[in-house]
Amino acid sequence: MGMFDFLKKSGGNKELEEALRKLQMNCENNYKDAAQANFREFCGLLQELKDKGKLSAKQLEYYDHKLEEYKEKMKKFTHKDQTPYWQ
């Protein structure tokens, strides 16, 4: 996903796309704490929009897939799990 791909998508939710953009940028820059915070923000926002019924079935499918993708990526994306270069 390119940095501005979210502008090309029609039918995407602007708030969720912005949260994903920040998450992606922080992951790419290896900002682990910020990326974890962005992931929690994305999860909370997605749940809030689901609860309010603001997402179409197609959007739900897309964002649920993104959620699962990032859940896997974020499992060991912490400073605690980082191995020192000298080991």
Side-chain angles (χ1 to χ4, degrees):
M1 180 171 156
M3 187 157 143
F4 294 104
D5 284 351
F6 71 96
L7 294 174
K8 298 176 192 171
K9 290 183 185 146
S10 59
N13 180 282
K14 289 180 184 178
E15 292 173 286
L16 288 171
E17 289 299 322
E18 176 65 17
L20 280 174
R21 184 189 65 78
K22 289 191 287 186
L23 174 56
Q24 181 67 31
M25 284 178 46
N26 283 321
C27 284
E28 288 173 358
N29 289 314
N30 206 28
Y31 298 150
K32 295 178 178 170
D33 294 335
Q36 289 289 345
N38 293 141
F39 179 66
R40 288 189 298 276
E41 176 188 349
F42 173 73
C43 292
L45 184 57
L46 179 58
Q47 189 59 51
E48 178 184 329
L49 292 171
K50 281 182 180 181
D51 293 344
K52 290 180 179 178
K54 300 249 178 179
L55 300 173
S56 69
K58 189 174 181 177
Q59 288 174 322
L60 280 171
E61 182 182 339
Y62 173 76
Y63 291 117
D64 281 340
H65 176 73
K66 285 292 186 186
L67 178 65
E68 292 306 314
E69 261 182 38
Y70 277 103
K71 270 185 188 175
E72 196 60 36
K73 283 184 185 179
M74 302 306 282
K75 277 184 182 175
K76 292 204 174 237
F77 199 69
T78 63
H79 291 293
K80 173 180 77 142
D81 294 323
Q82 187 174 349
T83 55
Y85 65 89
W86 58 84
Q87 288 185 345

